[in-house]
Amino acid sequence: MTHIEDSAEVRLTFDPSGPLYTIAITTPAPWPDADVFGITFDGPNALTISTDRQTLSNANRTLTVSDRGFGNVLNGLAQNATAIAFTGDTAVQFSLDGAEPEVAIFRACLDAPTA
C-alpha cells in the first residue's frame, strides 16, 4: 500500500514468510539519526506509537520500521484524519484521507489463502 504527497511517500508492505510488516517513509530531506521514531495518528481514534527499531537508508531519506504485528498502525491509518511521523527534531505530516478503504483491501490480502 502506497500513499504519496509532497511531504512524504509512505509505503506499507507485508511479507507472509516472516510474517513481517514494514512501513517506509521517504521524505525530500534526510531524517535525523535519532534514538526513537514515533507516529501520531490524529482524529477520532487518536493514538501515538513509538519504537527504537527504525533504520535509515537512501541517504537517510527513507526511514523504515518492521515488526511482526502492525494492528495499531493499520488502525491508526484507517481510523484517523492525519498522521505525523517524527524522530529527533523532524516531523512530517501526511493526510489519511481515503486510507480506510485501502487499509481494508490491504487487510483482505493478508487473509487471502496462499498456495
Side-chain angles (χ1 to χ4, degrees):
M1 184 170 65
T2 302
H3 174 76
I4 300 173
E5 292 185 13
D6 290 342
S7 62
E9 175 181 321
V10 181
R11 181 175 305 263
L12 186 68
T13 59
F14 176 71
D15 178 356
S17 68
L20 191 65
Y21 294 86
T22 302
I23 187 168
I25 304 171
T26 302
T27 56
W31 288 98
D33 188 12
D35 292 334
V36 176
F37 165 75
I39 189 164
T40 296
F41 299 102
D42 287 326
N45 294 299
L47 155 78
T48 299
I49 54 179
S50 62
T51 184
D52 62 357
R53 297 183 308 200
Q54 73 277 9
T55 60
L56 297 171
S57 61
N58 187 25
N60 287 10
R61 290 182 44 245
T62 301
L63 185 147
T64 304
V65 176
S66 299
D67 201 343
R68 294 179 57 89
F70 253 43
N72 285 340
V73 173
L74 294 173
N75 290 341
L77 292 170
Q79 300 170 358
N80 292 288
T82 60
I84 303 168
F86 59 91
T87 189
D89 60 357
T90 299
V92 176
Q93 181 172 325
F94 51 93
S95 172
L96 299 177
D97 231 11
E100 186 173 12
E102 297 300 319
V103 169
I105 292 167
F106 185 83
R107 282 184 162 144
C109 290
L110 301 179
D111 295 333
T114 58

